[in-house]
C-alpha cells in the first residue's frame, strides 16, 4: 500500500470515528437525564425526562436557524461567524459532519442548566432559555474558541470544552438557580428569617443516577477524543480521560469518609463527572501525572462546591451541576496553563506554550485566564438578561402548590412516571414544625378536670361492651423486624399485618448525611406490625415486643394498644373471638 493510500485510509477511518464520537456525545443526553432524574424526587421524573429530550430537539432547531453559522460561519472581527443558511441554500457543499458534531456539543451546554434548576421551573420557561443558550450564548463564545475567533487567534486552548461548554453551562446554572430560589423546605429559617439549617433532599433513585454517570463516562471518550486525527493522540486522550475521573472519585471517597464518617455515594458519582469535566480542556496536552493532579483537585473541588453553595451562597442545586461543571470547568481551563507538556502527542497539533509546571512560564496560563474571564463575563451578562426577561414576562418558577404536588402532574398531566407504583413525597416540603399526629389529643385530655376525664371514660365505655379483643400496633426499626416476628411466633401469634412506613418521633435528626447535609428525621424507614389477640394476654404481647425491640437508643419504637369492638371473618361469618381462632 502506498503512502498516499495509507493517508487516505487513515483520513476515512478518523472521519468515521469523528461521527461515532458525535453519536457518543449524543448518547450523553441519556446520561444527563438519568443523573438528574435519579438525584431528584420521583414526582418530577417525567418533567426532567421531557426537559432533557427537548434540550436536544430545541437545540437542533435553533442551531439550524442561527447557531451553526454564528459558530462556524465566516469570521467577523473575531467576534461572531457570519449568519447564513448554507444548510438550505448550498446543501451539496455543506459540511454535514461538522454540523452534527457541533450540534451535540451545543445541546450538552443547555442540558447542564436543567439539573440546578430542577423541580421548580416552569416547563415553558425552560424551553425558552434552553433555546437562547443554543441559539446565541453558546455559539458566540464557542466561535471565539473553535471558530477562528479572537481567543483562538491569541492561542487560548480548550480542546473539548471545559470552558466553552461546561463552565458556560455551570455559570448559567448558578445564576438561574440563584434567581429561581431554593426548593420549598431546603433551608430552615428562624423567626428572624435567618437560615439555621440545610435540609437534605435525597435522590429517589441512585441506581438510575449511577447508570447515568457510567453512560456519561462512556460518552466522554467521544466527547474528548472525537476530534483526534492520529492514534497516539487518541490513545493519550483516552488515558487522561480515564485517569482524571478515577482519581477524583477516589479522593472524594476518602475525603467524605473522613469528613462525614461514611463515604458519600452521590458525591462520589458527582466526583467522577467532576474529574471528566476538569480533564476536558487539557486532555490532549496533559500527561498521566498531570491527569492525576487535575483529577485529585477536582475530587476536593466538587465537595467544596456543594458545601459552599448550600452553606454560604444558599443556592439550591439539586444535582450538584454548579460544583461539577462550573468550578471544574474553570479548573480545567486553568489546568491547561499549568500542565501542558510537549511529551503529550497532541501538543504539537495544539500549537500552544508549555504549562507553568513543565517549564513554559506564565504565558499560556495568562492566556487561559483571559479566556476564562471573557467567556465567563459574556455568559453571566447574557444569561442574566435572558432569565430576568423570562421572569418578567411568562414567569420562571411554578407556584408553591404545583411544586409540592409535583411537576409531572401539574406541567404534563402525568399522574406518575412510575405507573403502578405508589409515589409518596417524603421530602422536606411535607415537614411540619409541629407534628399534629404525635399528640393524639393528649394535650387536651391532660388539661381536663377530673370530672371531664371521668365523663370521657364513661362515653367511651358506653360505646360498646368490652370484647376482650385487642389490637396491638407496633412501630419499630426495620432492623428489629426478624426479632419481633420470632417473639410473636413464640407467643403463638401467627397472624400479623406488616407495612413498611416512613416516620419519626421527637428526635430532631437521624445523624446521617446526604451530600453533607443532615437527613431529616422524617426520612427514617420504619416497620409497622399490627396483631389482633384475644386468647393471648395483651400484656404478654407488649412485653415480648418490648424485649425484642429494645436497644437503648432513640428510635426503638412505640407500641399502641386498642380495644376492638367487633371482628367479622368474611369467609365464615364468625364474629369476635370465634373469628380469631385460626389467627392466634
Amino acid at each position: 500500500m502506498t503512502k498516499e493510500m495509507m493517508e487516505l485510509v487513515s483520513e476515512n477511518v478518523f472521519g468515521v470515528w469523528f461521527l461515532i464520537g458525535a453519536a457518543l456525545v449524543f448518547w450523553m443526553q441519556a446520561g444527563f437525564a438519568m443523573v438528574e432524574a435519579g438525584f431528584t424526587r420521583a414526582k418530577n421524573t417525567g418533567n426532567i425526562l421531557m426537559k432533557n429530550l427537548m434540550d436536544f430537539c430545541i437545540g437542533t432547531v435553533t442551531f439550524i436557524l442561527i447557531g451553526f453559522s454564528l459558530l462556524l460561519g465566516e469570521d467577523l472581527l473575531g467576534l461572531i461567524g457570519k449568519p447564513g443558511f448554507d444548510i438550505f441554500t448550498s446543501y451539496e457543499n455543506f459540511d454535514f459532519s461538522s454540523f452534527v458534531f457541533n450540534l451535540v456539543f451545543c445541546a450538552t451546554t443547555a442540558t447542564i442548566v436543567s439539573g440546578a434548576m430542577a423541580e421548580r421551573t416552569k416547563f415553558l420557561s425552560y424551553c425558552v432559555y434552553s433555546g437562547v443558550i443554543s441559539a446565541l450564548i453558546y455559539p458566540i463564545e464557542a466561535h471565539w474558541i473553535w471558530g477562528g475567533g479572537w481567543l483562538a487567534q491569541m492561542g487560548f486552548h480548550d480542546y473539548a470544552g471545559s470552558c466553552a461548554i461546561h463552565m458556560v453551562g455551570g455559570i448559567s446554572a448558578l445564576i438561574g438557580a440563584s434567581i429561581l430560589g431554593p426548593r420549598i423546605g431546603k433551608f430552615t429559617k428562624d423567626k428572624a428569617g435567618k437560615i439555621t439549617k440545610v435540609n437534605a433532599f435525597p435522590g429517589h433513585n441512585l441506581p438510575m443516577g449511577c447508570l447515568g454517570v457510567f453512560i456519561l463516562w462512556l460518552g466522554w471518550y467521544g466527547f474528548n477524543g472525537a476530534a483526534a486525527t492520529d492514534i497516539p493522540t487518541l490513545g493519550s486522550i483516552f488515558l487522561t480521560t480515564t485517569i482524571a475521573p478515577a482519581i477524583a472519585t477516589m479522593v472524594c471517597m476518602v475525603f467524605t469518609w473522613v469528613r462525614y464518617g461514611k463515604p458519600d455515594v452521590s458525591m462520589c458519582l458527582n466526583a467522577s463527572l467532576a474529574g471528566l469535566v476538569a480533564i476536558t480542556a487539557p486532555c490532549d496536552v496533559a500527561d498521566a501525572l498531570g491527569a492525576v493532579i487535575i483529577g485529585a483537585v477536582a475530587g476536593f473541588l466538587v465537595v467544596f462546591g456543594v458545601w459552599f453553595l448550600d452553606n454560604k451562597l444558599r443556592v439550591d442545586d439539586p444535582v450538584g451541576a454548579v460544583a461539577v461543571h462550573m468550578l471544574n470547568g474553570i479548573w480545567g481551563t486553568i489546568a491547561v496553563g499549568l500542565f501542558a507538556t510537549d511529551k503529550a502527542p497532541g501538543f504539537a497539533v495544539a500549537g500552544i506554550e508549555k504549562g507553568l509546571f513543565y517549564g513554559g512560564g506564565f504565558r499560556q496560563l495568562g492566556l487561559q485566564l483571559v479566556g476564562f474571564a471573557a467567556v465567563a463575563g459574556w455568559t453571566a451578562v447574557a444569561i442574566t438578561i435572558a432569565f430576568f426577561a423570562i421572569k418578567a414576562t411568562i414567569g420562571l418558577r411554578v407556584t408553591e402548590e404545583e411544586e409540592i404536588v409535583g411537576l409531572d402532574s401539574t406541567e404534563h398531566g402525568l399522574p406518575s412516571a412510575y405507573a403502578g407504583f405508589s409515589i409518596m413525597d417524603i421530602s422536606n416540603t411535607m415537614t411540619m414544625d409541629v407534628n399534629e399526629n404525635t399528640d393524639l389529643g393528649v394535650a387536651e385530655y391532660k388539661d381536663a378536670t377530673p370530672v371531664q376525664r371521668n365523663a370521657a371514660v364513661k362515653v367511651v365505655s358506653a360505646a360498646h361492651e368490652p370484647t376482650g379483643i385487642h389490637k396491638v400496633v407496633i412501630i419499630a426499626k426495620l432492623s428489629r423486624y426478624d426479632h419481633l416476628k420470632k417473639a410473636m411466633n413464640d407467643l403463638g401469634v401467627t397472624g400479623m399485618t406488616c407495612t413498611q412506613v416512613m416516620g419519626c418521633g421527637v428526635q430532631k435528626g437521624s445523624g446521617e448525611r446526604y451530600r453533607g447535609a443532615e437527613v431529616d428525621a422524617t426520612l427514617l424507614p420504619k416497620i409497622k406490625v399490627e396483631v389482633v389477640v384475644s386468647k393471648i394476654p395483651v400484656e404478654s404481647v407488649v412485653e415480648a415486643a418490648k424485649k425484642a425491640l429494645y436497644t437503648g437508643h432513640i428510635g426503638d419504637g412505640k407500641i399502641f394498644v386498642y380495644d376492638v369492638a367487633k371482628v367479622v371473618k368474611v369467609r365464615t361469618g364468625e364474629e369476635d373471638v370465634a373469628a380469631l381462632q385460626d389467627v392466634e
Side-chain angles (χ1 to χ4, degrees), residues 15 413 520 542 571:
D520 192 85
V542 171
R571 178 171 55 86

Side-chain angles (χ1 to χ4, degrees), residues 6-124:
M6 291 182 63
E7 289 178 352
L8 181 61
V9 169
S10 178
E11 181 181 343
N12 287 329
V13 167
F14 278 97
V16 172
W17 161 242
F18 185 69
L19 289 176
I20 292 174
L24 286 171
V25 177
F26 166 76
W27 178 233
M28 291 173 70
Q29 288 290 135
F32 281 116
M34 296 298 98
V35 169
E36 186 181 344
F39 278 22
T40 51
R41 291 168 290 183
K43 63 184 179 181
N44 299 306
T45 301
N47 173 258
I48 288 166
L49 300 179
M50 187 70 169
K51 288 192 301 180
N52 279 269
L53 173 65
M54 295 314 299
D55 272 330
F56 186 80
C57 296
I58 292 171
T60 299
V61 173
T62 57
F63 210 60
I64 288 173
L65 294 176
I66 190 170
F68 182 71
S69 59
L70 288 178
L71 172 54
L72 291 177
E74 180 184 344
D75 180 58
L76 298 177
L77 303 175
L79 298 176
I80 62 171
K82 181 180 178 180
F85 295 96
D86 290 352
I87 191 171
F88 298 117
T89 61
S90 184
Y91 189 72
E92 67 277 8
N93 299 315
F94 192 69
D95 192 342
F96 319 114
S97 298
S98 180
F99 178 86
V100 172
F101 184 74
N102 284 281
L103 167 61
V104 294
F105 275 78
C106 178
T108 299
T109 309
T111 299
I112 292 167
V113 187
S114 174
M117 300 177 67
E119 303 199 283
R120 72 265 201 214
T121 304
K122 285 185 176 181
F123 181 68
L124 175 59

Side-chain angles (χ1 to χ4, degrees), residues 172-481:
S172 301
L174 174 62
I175 293 172
S178 180
I179 294 173
L180 195 61
R183 291 168 292 175
I184 297 170
K186 176 61 179 178
F187 300 110
T188 299
K189 298 181 179 179
D190 58 20
K191 293 181 180 179
K194 182 180 179 181
I195 293 175
T196 58
K197 182 185 175 186
V198 179
N199 295 308
F201 280 28
H204 87 280
N205 195 332
L206 279 184
M208 182 189 293
C210 182
L211 175 62
V213 169
F214 279 112
I215 290 173
L216 287 169
W217 196 329
L218 172 64
W220 230 287
Y221 290 115
F223 199 96
N224 285 358
T229 56
D230 61 83
I231 292 176
T233 300
L234 181 59
S236 178
I237 289 172
F238 268 51
L239 177 66
T240 56
T241 302
T242 303
I243 290 175
I247 295 296
T249 308
M250 285 289 296
V251 168
C252 179
M253 181 190 72
V254 173
F255 183 75
T256 56
W257 207 332
V258 172
R259 178 70 178 82
Y260 302 124
K262 295 177 182 178
D264 192 303
V265 178
S266 71
M267 200 79 85
C268 287
L269 293 172
N270 271 158
S272 297
L273 301 180
L276 289 163
V277 170
I279 199 62
T280 295
C283 62
D284 64 322
V285 294
D287 60 10
L289 178 59
V292 167
I293 299 172
I294 291 168
V297 174
F300 282 112
L301 205 55
V302 70
V303 181
F304 168 77
V306 170
W307 172 85
F308 189 72
L309 256 68
D310 279 351
N311 294 280
K312 297 300 178 182
L313 297 184
R314 305 300 190 185
V315 173
D316 182 15
D317 178 0
V319 305
V322 176
V324 170
H325 297 280
M326 189 190 83
L327 293 185
N328 285 284
I330 295 171
W331 165 232
T333 303
I334 295 172
V336 173
L338 300 174
F339 299 100
T341 172
D342 56 4
K343 300 297 189 295
F347 181 83
V349 178
I352 63 173
E353 302 289 335
K354 288 193 292 186
L356 177 64
F357 296 155
Y358 287 81
F362 288 92
R363 174 171 168 72
Q364 192 63 44
L365 179 60
L367 292 173
Q368 297 303 119
L369 291 171
V370 169
F372 146 65
V375 174
W378 158 252
T379 303
V381 172
I383 198 65
T384 299
I385 293 172
F387 280 136
F388 276 115
I390 293 169
K391 186 176 181 180
T393 51
I394 60 177
L396 197 58
R397 182 165 182 154
V398 299
T399 66
E400 180 177 321
E401 180 180 357
E402 288 171 332
E403 183 179 341
I404 291 173
V405 172
L407 303 189
D408 284 4
S409 173
T410 59
E411 289 282 272
H412 306 283
L414 184 67
S416 171
Y418 300 94
F421 293 86
S422 176
I423 302 298
M424 178 175 64
D425 186 348
I426 55 172
S427 71
N428 290 2
T429 59
M430 311 304 290
T431 300
M432 296 164 285
D433 291 333
V434 178
N435 188 340
E436 69 270 24
N437 294 317
T438 56
D439 289 334
L440 299 175
V442 173
E444 292 81 355
Y445 186 74
K446 179 180 67 177
D447 296 333
T449 65
V451 174
Q452 290 171 325
R453 291 176 188 169
N454 289 335
V457 171
K458 289 178 182 178
V459 170
V460 173
S461 299
H464 62 82
E465 293 295 327
T467 61
I469 305 172
H470 296 88
K471 179 181 180 180
V472 182
V473 178
I474 304 165
I475 309 294
K477 295 178 179 177
L478 279 172
S479 60
R480 305 300 296 177
Y481 171 66

